[in-house]
Amino acid sequence: MTISVDRLTEPAVRAFVGALNANDRESFQAALGPDATMSDDGSDRDLHEWTDREIFSSRGRMEIESQSADGLSLVARYRNDTWGEMRTAWTFKVEGGKVARFETGQA
């Protein structure tokens, strides 16, 4: 069973996932704070290069399996045209209603 995007409790995370799944780069950027950062499997990455490669040019999509009580941690089945599907964990730091940092990796 999956959790629909509109049922995610944290508004900034809901905007992030909704934009990612819609492959909407403009809305995705709007969900991020001005100095947002990220890491993948424990290594900091260039956010713009990573999102272009792992999300937008490879049609990334996430199906949410679970969320933490505060809505800042997700477990999802993530799929893109490069890697196929994998079970992933996502954690978010939100500041001023925007995602300031996200960390992802295999769950």
Side-chain angles (χ1 to χ4, degrees), residues 21-97:
N21 283 349
N23 207 312
D24 182 341
R25 191 183 302 259
E26 186 175 318
S27 294
F28 185 84
Q29 293 299 322
L32 300 173
D35 299 316
T37 61
M38 61 89 50
S39 74
D40 182 10
D41 284 329
S43 297
D44 279 4
R45 308 286 186 193
D46 179 283
L47 183 136
H48 299 291
E49 286 178 11
W50 188 91
T51 55
D52 183 60
R53 182 180 65 252
E54 301 293 337
I55 298 173
F56 297 108
S57 66
S58 60
R59 296 185 306 186
R61 182 158 180 81
M62 47 195 313
E63 292 183 20
I64 310 305
E65 292 181 355
S66 64
Q67 68 177 324
S68 61
D70 62 6
L72 296 175
S73 296
L74 306 175
V75 174
R77 289 190 312 272
Y78 186 78
R79 172 171 188 61
N80 68 25
D81 290 348
T82 302
W83 304 109
E85 184 175 299
M86 64 192 84
R87 193 163 185 259
T88 56
W90 299 73
T91 58
F92 298 88
K93 181 178 180 185
V94 174
E95 295 175 353

